[in-house]
Amino acid sequence: MRKFQSFVLANNPIPKKQLAWPLYGTGVDHLGKDGKPILVQVPAYTEDEILMRVDAVSMCYTDVKEIVQGESHPRLTGRNLREDPIIPGHELSMTVVGVGKNLKDEYKVGDRFTMQPDVWVNGKSRPFCFDLDGGYRQYAKVGKEILEGDAGNYLIPITKDMIYAAAAITEPWACVEAAYRANYRNVVRKGGVMWIVGNDMSRRGYLPESLFERSGPDSILLTNVPSDLKLKIGSICQSRGIHVDDIGFENAIDSEVLYDDILALDCSSQTVTRASKKIAKGGMLVMFGVSDSTTIEIDLGRLHYDDIYFAGTDSLDLIEGYKRTTSRADHFPGGKMWIVGAGGPMGRMHLQRAIETKNGPNLIVASEVTSDRFIALKEFFYPMAKNHHKELLIINSKDEPDEYRKVLQRVKADGGFDDIEIMVAIIPVIMETLPYAAKTGVISLFAGLKRGVMMSVDTWLIQGPQQVRFIGHSGSGLEDQKAVVNKMLSGELKPELSVAAVGGMKQV
């Protein structure tokens, strides 16, 4: 106990050497030397830096991809790892063991922190574990890049009694939390570029005035827009100083410009699908009375990584296309939730959050196809759900197909799922969930697919009475991780329940 107390207080002398796991190439064979960590110098720190002891580092699938892909990883392209290796690891719990003289008023030995690894400096991404060496080592110095980054200080204070593993795992928990904290707009993007697309079949009588009440674009491009709407748009743009111009459809498609708002007026599903390829990051495509009752193709990779989304209505009031569906990301209070692929690490986090959230869903369905994960889910989460007075149904869609269909039909008959969280990147599985979404339901793609992976979606599901919203999210920010830490401190969340195994540095 005395040794442990000395460790907690950081009273032990700092060694000259430390163990580290540099990545020297592509594949696990190039992690460390001969399957072992190497001995390197503990870094010296300057008057503007602090020295941190890495108390715990959680192992993330991002680390796996980094190690497996090596120099072919998008974030390591062009880097010669043999000559300039990188140390992976970004989910950390750390203790201050040394403080530069210019920082002694702010930090002291024994202070504890976790860290948001998505570091940005002067508008440039400098991730901890891709650009800056990560946590697969025993000591790390921290300087201005982290202490004075674009978002502020990327270190997040934690209490001295916080479990080391719990603090380290706040980063993956932040990714889960971020998926429920995302902001999806229901107005025109201010200062953006809008493209309004019509055709000879577009209805007359569209009402654009309320579209610009709260915000407006800097420019609007018009393609085959009905003459009465064109006159109204022209008058609004003249009074507001908005640039407006005509553009042919093919010219708009071939342009290098991406559009923040695309409004499709009674267009064919083919036209909508082609137009959707021009949505800017964070952009929105709004459908008004698609002229054929078929499907559009949605890029699920862009939905997840680029935050694009789709909405629609049959109304002639253009603002209704934005406002008809509530733009939410968090649980529908007291609603029904389905977690698809709940047995994996991230699925379990989503399930735990749904159970522990006081104003979360009342009914939670967790589906899993792997037998051992299915059994583990039942053993771990049924008692938790009972303690939180939540109805939890855990089903194996592969081994119990009749029970699986019975549960889904029961929920569908009761209005459907308000929230569907998808942890698997398999198109047929995703498509299977669509008929079970409730009115104004949210289908969230947490598992990312590559950009360019398309899925057919019935336009009526989006623009008709169901008003289903498809969203996706990846990664987290500083405020998301702070929110997780605050939930830990308040007792709302226990991230340590996600820990499955613990090993030492030599076991990485």
Side-chain angles (χ1 to χ4, degrees), residues 306-320:
D306 291 346
D307 297 326
I308 66 170
Y309 52 112
F310 297 76
T313 180
D314 57 0
S315 172
L316 288 170
D317 190 345
L318 296 183
I319 195 61
E320 284 297 306

Side-chain angles (χ1 to χ4, degrees), residues 136-153:
Y136 285 7
R137 50 182 166 156
Q138 293 173 296
Y139 294 88
K141 67 177 181 178
V142 172
K144 287 189 175 182
E145 304 98 333
I146 293 170
L147 302 179
E148 301 176 14
D150 290 358
N153 191 338

